[in-house]
Amino acid sequence: MPVEIFVGDDHVLGDVLDRVAAELGKEGHTVVRGPAAPAPARTEYPRAQWPRYFGRAEVAVISSRTVITPELMSWAPRLRGLVFASSSTASCDLREASERGIVVAHGATPENMEGMAEATVMLLSALMLDLPLKQRQLARHEPRPAPQALTARLLAGSTVGLVGHGRIAREVIARLAGWRVARVLVATRHPGRHRSAPPVEFTDLDTLLARSDAVSLHLPLTADTRGVIGAAELDRMKPGAVLVNTSRGGLVDEAALAERLATGRLRAAAIDTFETEPVPADHPLRGLDNVILTEHIVGHTRDLFDSLVPTAVEHVRAVLAGQRPRYPADPGVRTDRARNVPQAR
């Protein structure tokens, strides 16, 4: 049965949301569109606009840059599902949604996981092999370094530390198996939830930092994880180690990282996500030679974006049918507790 569905906008995923809206319209649903705030601001609809956008909406299709407050979830009388076209659901409190009987699904497609895993291994190898330094030497017409002056090391035989053990981290581990790394250390608060094949060793964060030649972050940004790699943690890393963050901005103290890269305390870093996006022109990491910087796009592929549209449409269908979404943001979601929707307003 056709219903009313709200579809937002986004300065990154606008094309995806446009295509989702078109597909839902073809299925006979009434699609209400909402604008996006200009980058880098997140979109938060004022209360005066709630009746227009959410007064009759049974599902809202949005991105992680659209804020859905607990107050909005409580107010929206018919809302029973939030479908994120993005993999992140950071702009919504999942516990609050669950308590209100609202199912949340997201774009955690295989193409998303695989693209980020491939990008992470690429960056780990590039940093270990001193790619930023070698590019700089060519660009500046510098002479080839003498063999004894090389600092590049093989990823093979090294120790790689992964902070977090979610789906992307596990895809990284699977790919590292072919690189003959000596060991993979994993720091997670739930080591018993997922078991990986050897040579994975679960340990605490301090041990991981002290023993790893390369560290990669794979955490969501929450109140508990914000600043998880601060000045003290950077100083616990092995001298000359490298750091990769393709996860979330805000996990790393970027000023402290820039200082340790500038002094040579750490050899190199690859950063794809930043505290502030777009990255300011005067950001301290921009002026360094031993960094690879990309703007929240390193693992993005055409395959990924093509997967998000049918996935979001499928999620909407599942929510309306009272079925479990293919990719629930809360793995323990129970569709039998979903919000009862009034027949008329």
Side-chain angles (χ1 to χ4, degrees):
M1 177 182 297
V3 300
E4 186 166 295
I5 298 171
F6 173 80
V7 179
D9 201 355
D10 183 85
H11 64 268
V12 174
L13 295 173
D15 175 65
V16 170
L17 291 167
D18 288 345
R19 292 160 63 191
V20 170
E23 290 299 318
L24 293 173
K26 291 177 183 177
E27 295 188 1
H29 299 296
T30 299
V31 178
V32 176
R33 300 300 306 271
R42 298 200 299 174
T43 301
E44 188 166 0
Y45 297 107
R47 182 179 290 269
Q49 295 178 348
W50 291 359
R52 175 184 176 186
Y53 295 140
F54 304 101
R56 297 186 61 84
E58 299 198 16
V59 181
V61 184
I62 54 176
S63 80
S64 60
R65 282 168 287 272
T66 299
V67 179
I68 301 295
T69 64
E71 292 75 19
L72 173 54
M73 286 189 279
S74 293
W75 177 89
R78 304 180 66 92
L79 189 66
R80 45 180 163 146
L82 292 171
V83 172
F84 283 82
S86 55
S87 62
S88 171
T89 60
S91 59
C92 166
D93 188 317
L94 295 180
R95 180 176 298 178
E96 293 282 354
S98 179
E99 289 179 355
R100 287 162 175 76
I102 297 174
V103 176
V104 182
H106 62 151
T109 63
E111 292 83 355
N112 196 332
M113 307 299 110
E114 291 164 359
M116 293 310 301
E118 288 186 9
T120 298
V121 176
M122 173 189 72
L123 293 172
L124 287 169
S125 177
L127 294 181
M128 291 293 290
L129 290 169
D130 278 346
L131 181 60
L133 171 63
K134 293 169 179 175
Q135 288 182 307
R136 184 192 72 199
Q137 289 169 340
L138 176 63
R140 296 179 180 176
H141 305 283
E142 296 175 358
R144 291 170 61 95
Q148 62 269 26
L150 290 173
T151 56
R153 301 295 301 273
L154 291 172
L155 190 58
S158 68
T159 296
V160 177
L162 305 183
V163 184
H165 195 230
R167 283 168 290 192
I168 295 175
R170 296 196 296 277
E171 291 287 342
V172 170
I173 292 170
R175 284 155 178 77
L176 287 175
W179 287 75
R180 296 192 302 107
V181 298
R183 65 185 58 82
V184 177
L185 303 180
V186 174
T188 176
R189 289 193 288 180
H190 305 289
R193 292 176 56 185
H194 306 287
R195 291 297 179 185
S196 300
V200 173
E201 176 185 338
F202 292 98
T203 187
D204 60 272
L205 179 60
D206 286 349
T207 301
L208 180 149
L209 295 174
R211 293 173 55 190
S212 298
D213 301 297
V215 175
S216 183
L217 305 184
H218 300 277
L219 296 170
L221 182 62
T222 67
D224 292 334
T225 63
R226 180 174 291 279
V228 66
I229 304 298
E233 288 73 26
L234 292 169
D235 288 339
R236 291 190 187 103
M237 292 178 64
K238 290 177 65 172
V242 303
L243 176 69
V244 172
N245 182 18
T246 58
S247 193
R248 290 287 175 260
L251 297 175
V252 180
D253 182 330
E254 294 166 4
L257 174 62
E259 179 182 345
R260 282 145 184 83
L261 289 168
T263 62
R265 173 66 177 73
L266 296 179
R267 182 149 59 99
I271 307 296
D272 183 56
T273 56
F274 296 82
E275 180 78 32
T276 300
E277 297 177 359
V279 185
D282 60 351
H283 194 286
L285 288 171
R286 280 189 180 272
L288 299 177
D289 293 323
N290 51 348
V291 295
I292 297 174
L293 305 180
T294 49
E295 200 155 41
H296 214 143
I297 198 172
V298 70
H300 290 186
T301 63
R302 188 68 260 169
D303 314 81
L304 162 63
F305 285 99
D306 286 344
S307 76
L308 296 177
V309 175
T311 298
V313 173
E314 177 188 329
H315 283 159
V316 171
R317 293 176 186 146
V319 170
L320 295 178
Q323 299 171 351
R324 179 185 177 87
R326 183 188 297 265
Y327 306 117
D330 177 4
V333 65
R334 289 180 55 185
T335 55
D336 61 330
R337 297 178 61 182
R339 174 182 289 183
N340 292 323
V341 180
Q343 296 302 307
R345 186 167 189 262

